[in-house]
Amino acid sequence: MDYELSEEQKEFREGFRAFCEKEIAPQAARIDREGAFSFESHKRLAEVGFLGLPFPEKYGGGGKPFLTCVLAWEELARACPSTFLSSGIGCLLPGMAINQFGTEDQKQKYLAGLIRGEKVAAWALTEPQTGSDVAAIKTEARREGASHVLNGTKALATNGPIADWVVVVAVTNPSSALPQRMSAFIAEKGIPGFSAGEPLDKLGARGSPTSDLILQNCAFGGSQLLGEEGKGFSVLEKIQPFGRLSSAAYCLGVGQACLEEAIRYAQKRQAFGRPIANFQEVSFKVADMQMFVDTGRLLLQRAAWMMDEGREADSDLSIAKLFLSEAATWCAANAVQIHGGHGFIKGVKVERLYRDAKLGELRDGTSEMQRRKIALNLLGEGFR
Ligand SMILES: Cc1cc2nc3c(=O)[nH]c(=O)nc-3n(C[C@H](O)[C@H](O)[C@H](O)COP(=O)(O)OP(=O)(O)OC[C@H]3O[C@@H](n4cnc5c(N)ncnc54)[C@H](O)[C@@H]3O)c2cc1C
């Protein structure tokens, strides 16, 4: 086994880290405070090739393997979790759906604009009454001649308030079994009946706007169907792994940032005549953070490598995502602890990271759902 990244990967990571530290990290506190997505950062991320990293060169992408992508994802999340949530994960999932299931026309129209940073996209699966239980979605797509008419509400959509286009999953065949019941559609901003709710006032990742998306008698022509009718569940099965991979990278970036802040503060803060880093109670917390971050990074890179190799990575993705999301909240809680009361105050970086960290355990499959997936893969159908 070779644990060493190639020289090219190391150089790429260093270069992208320098960019994030110079241009992204200085915005992080402000966009959290103002609850404002940075279109400027989004545009710069397109210019440096970040938005297109995993996509084919034909559409302006970088054609990079996921092992390279996770290096950049970690760096962006380390610099600003909100920016990574919106410009990274939020655009990755709809972009991947178009890349894997779109027609050539759809790829030219939607994917190329996304990669150039001209458009922002969103992924709309969750509904007010259901998130984990995908089979319980209710948004209906009724066939009328050559069109589909969609009615329903999607909830908690990352980029909902700012998206130019959205991949929406809706029920087309309510009487069919799950694999044939749903279809995926592309909803463009401005089509009659399609609107975004008010931006939600969130605990963390506040620089990434989230909202409901409402579809009221919204007519979709054939060119807005993504993939075949009745194959929406296949779209989910193919796209959700990218959600787990990128969410795991979000958590790794947050955990790494917490570790660095904890070290910095522990070496600077004095108590009882010496730096608090000299107390074993503090230094062991830092050591444990390093252990969690390091282990999580290996799990993430293994899962990315398996995806690049075309290997079955279902459990590996869940293990990486579950471990890193719980590691990130642990690291954030202990980074605040090391900062004492000062870590509880707005404007102190670890306070923001503590709020941002929690999201990792919730989106792209909660921790409970990841454990269920791992258990199901170990124990088989009898587990259900
Ligand atoms: C900031 C943010 C951004 C998001 N962005 C998007 C997005 O872009 N697109 C999108 O579609 N969704 C998005 N989501 C939604 C997210 O994916 C869901 O919140 C998540 O899937 C959980 O669904 P839920 O909130 O409905 O919780 P529920 O499914 O109602 O679960 C509630 C609790 O019950 C537990 N639970 C449920 N079923 C089981 C079970 N079988 N066994 C054990 N425990 C169970 C869960 O683990 C959880 O703890 C976002 C959420 C947030 C907070």
Side-chain angles (χ1 to χ4, degrees):
M1 288 180 75
D2 183 0
Y3 287 99
E4 196 68 79
L5 295 171
S6 69
E7 283 310 310
E8 192 190 338
Q9 284 166 328
K10 282 191 218 166
E11 256 177 51
F12 166 76
R13 185 180 57 190
E14 293 315 310
F16 189 67
R17 172 179 280 216
F19 163 80
C20 289
E21 285 182 347
K22 183 162 175 261
E23 300 199 29
I24 305 292
Q27 316 293 332
R30 180 185 59 77
I31 68 166
D32 174 73
R33 198 171 51 247
E34 296 174 359
F37 173 74
S38 172
F39 285 96
E40 204 181 304
S41 295
H42 189 70
K43 202 80 194 136
R44 286 291 293 132
L45 285 163
E47 282 165 12
V48 300
F50 174 86
L51 298 185
L53 273 177
F55 298 113
E57 292 173 16
K58 183 177 176 192
Y59 307 105
K64 297 289 183 210
F66 286 107
L67 187 51
T68 303
C69 294
V70 297
L71 302 176
W73 294 349
E74 175 190 342
E75 293 303 331
L76 184 57
R78 169 181 171 267
C80 179
S82 286
T83 302
F84 178 56
L85 179 59
S86 268
S87 298
I89 306 175
C91 291
L92 174 80
L93 303 191
M96 277 292 170
I98 299 279
N99 187 42
Q100 300 220 349
F101 294 91
T103 61
E104 188 54 31
D105 282 353
Q106 288 170 335
K107 288 181 194 177
Q108 294 291 353
K109 182 169 179 191
Y110 298 107
L111 189 55
L114 187 71
I115 292 170
R116 286 194 299 269
E118 293 161 2
K119 304 286 180 193
V120 175
W123 167 260
L125 172 63
T126 304
E127 299 188 356
Q129 80 289 350
T130 190
S132 308
D133 183 6
V134 173
I137 64 164
K138 286 186 184 155
T139 296
E140 59 155 19
R142 203 178 57 251
R143 204 174 236 299
E144 283 191 9
S147 303
H148 283 93
V149 176
L150 270 72
N151 277 291
T153 300
K154 292 294 178 180
L156 293 168
T158 295
N159 295 342
I162 55 167
D164 297 285
W165 56 269
V166 182
V167 172
V168 177
V169 184
V171 178
T172 34
N173 311 308
S175 53
S176 299
L178 181 60
Q180 289 86 38
R181 195 183 311 165
M182 28 186 109
S183 306
F185 297 87
I186 309 164
E188 275 188 55
K189 189 180 184 171
I191 56 169
F194 181 52
S195 60
E198 284 298 309
L200 296 166
D201 192 6
K202 303 197 300 297
L203 172 73
R206 293 176 63 83
S208 164
T210 315
S211 73
D212 282 355
L213 291 166
I214 301 124
L215 299 126
Q216 277 179 322
N217 290 324
C218 207
F220 285 71
S223 61
Q224 302 310 109
L225 183 66
L226 180 59
E228 286 174 49
E229 181 170 346
K231 292 284 174 68
F233 193 67
S234 311
V235 176
L236 293 186
E237 284 188 315
K238 278 269 187 220
I239 301 308
Q240 283 177 332
F242 303 119
R244 281 182 280 158
L245 191 73
S246 52
S247 262
Y250 171 99
C251 299
L252 176 57
V254 171
Q256 176 66 35
C258 290
L259 169 65
E260 291 170 27
E261 283 303 293
I263 292 172
R264 197 184 56 73
Y265 193 80
Q267 289 177 333
K268 187 183 74 174
R269 180 74 174 175
Q270 299 273 328
F272 300 91
R274 42 190 175 142
I276 59 168
N278 289 13
F279 299 117
Q280 193 181 70
E281 292 79 353
V282 172
S283 64
F284 278 13
K285 284 189 176 60
V286 172
D288 284 353
M289 282 186 201
Q290 173 68 33
M291 174 183 72
F292 283 133
V293 165
D294 226 19
T295 310
R297 186 176 289 113
L298 286 172
L299 291 173
L300 176 67
Q301 292 182 357
R302 180 182 70 172
W305 174 81
M306 290 178 80
M307 288 177 87
D308 289 333
E309 294 287 307
R311 298 192 191 198
E312 169 57 49
D314 195 40
S315 282
D316 306 83
L317 281 163
S318 287
I319 289 168
K321 201 269 182 180
L322 172 61
F323 183 87
L324 274 163
S325 59
E326 297 190 348
T329 50
W330 191 92
C331 289
N334 282 285
V336 170
Q337 193 66 21
I338 288 173
H339 280 64
H342 301 280
F344 201 63
I345 305 302
K346 289 265 180 218
V348 174
K349 188 170 173 182
V350 291
E351 181 272 340
R352 170 166 52 82
L353 292 170
Y354 182 71
R355 290 184 285 104
D356 290 350
K358 184 61 195 170
L359 178 62
E361 293 181 79
L362 302 172
R363 70 157 287 168
D364 295 298
T366 61
S367 295
E368 291 78 9
M369 297 313 287
Q370 304 304 338
R371 283 195 167 84
R372 285 186 66 84
K373 195 174 264 298
I374 298 162
L376 181 64
N377 286 338
L378 286 170
L379 303 169
E381 288 297 318
F383 162 73
R384 280 186 208 277

